[in-house]
Amino acid sequence: MARDAAGVPAARQPGPRDRREGAAMALPALVAPGAALTAAERRRYARQLTLAEVGEVGQRRLKNARVLCVGAGGLGSPVLLYLAAAGVGTIGVVDPDTVDESNLHRQVLHGQGDIGRAKTASAAAALAAVNPLVRVEPHPTTLDVGNARDLFAGYDLVVDGTDNFATRYLVNDAAVLLGKPYVWGSVLRFDGQASVFWAAHGPCYRCLYPEPPAPGDAPSCAEGGVLGVLCAAVGAVQATEAVKLVTGIGEPLVGRLLLHDALRMQQRTVALRRDPDCVLCGPRATQRDLLADYAYFCGVRPAAAGDTISPAALRDLRAAGGDPLVLDVREPWEHELVRLAGSVLLPLDRLLADPARVAELPADRRVVVHCKSGARSARALAALRAAGRTDAVHLDGGILAWIRDVDPTLPGY
């Protein structure tokens, strides 16, 4: 399947099946109306109540809704803020992380005073300040195979604001198996994507991406960067889609993929079809349950013995007089921001494009490769080993682990 620069299927000419699949369509409201609105709710939601499409019944549906947001980061921030402001009665927040200073340019749910605080706790406080009439249920844990079913079962729909493929496939699979709709979004650099996956009415995420990309082929936001305000644009789309699903208004993005180009300020939609060979939602589906290990499915393999060196072991090796060549395979701007003393910069793309560069490395020094967190250095290690440098290893956890375990005075990012 042809893909564009953002890694999504290229636009195609509409086909005869698009009237049924990939065409915009209205769906019934997902949630029944809740209790009558109070005087305080009428005052707060007055501008929303005046919309004939929403009205009192729609607002009562929002009041009765239970929405789970996976991730309280760049996308989760606008999603959570706007769902709370809209009056979604119960909002669940799943996130195992704490707030870091590098989050603040895009994760507007959190502030300077929240650095080091659990994101779920910070989110709960922020949402209470926005709208004390809604209930927030924090889940300060990693979403995994062991808890996904139980977490999803307690909510009407799921909004996915995560930034890694293992969790995206897990969210999709759990949603399909439980019959739940979920709103998906993704951002990288200046490009964003959003869709609604609901197997009862259209394709699932696996219909779009049957297989995950190879590790390192699709950089994370930490590696590729992201324009902070892009999160607001895509997160607002996700929040809008959630409100539409709950209330039954408009035509949700089921069977359609929205592409947002921030640099050109253009949006377009691509029609999506259910994959008849989808292992999860197709007519001949073979996957009947959650996979045992989504990280393994996405190509994240446990490091083999002898492949890595811990930050503490590298520190001790240098202190004992060892003189390893520390090879930094990050980008030049990352190397300028923070580096290990004495490290040599050779960005991964240059190394992979010209394997002969390996021969330029001194043969009498052991090579220790590092990147930010370990993904790029693992690919570099494979290239070094293939070129005959069998003594090479890579730094477990990258420079972030070095900062955490060895030298916390270095700036993080």
Side-chain angles (χ1 to χ4, degrees), residues 159-185:
V159 181
D160 180 8
T162 60
D163 64 354
N164 67 87
F165 286 96
T167 306
R168 289 171 185 168
Y169 280 97
L170 172 59
V171 170
N172 176 79
D173 294 0
V176 171
L177 293 171
L178 292 173
K180 306 278 184 179
Y182 87 96
V183 183
W184 169 76

Side-chain angles (χ1 to χ4, degrees), residues 308-332:
T308 63
I309 184 171
S310 70
L314 177 59
R315 175 201 59 200
D316 294 344
L317 176 64
R318 291 174 127 187
D323 187 27
L325 174 66
V326 179
L327 189 66
D328 184 350
V329 294
R330 299 174 299 154
E331 293 301 306

Side-chain angles (χ1 to χ4, degrees), residues 376-395:
R376 285 173 285 178
S377 61
R379 295 186 67 197
L381 178 65
L384 289 170
R385 294 275 180 87
R389 294 303 299 261
T390 57
D391 63 330
V393 293
H394 74 116
L395 185 62

Side-chain angles (χ1 to χ4, degrees), residues 355-369:
R357 298 289 295 271
V358 176
E360 300 174 8
L361 303 177
D364 59 343
R365 297 175 67 187
R366 186 183 189 186
V367 178
V368 176
V369 192

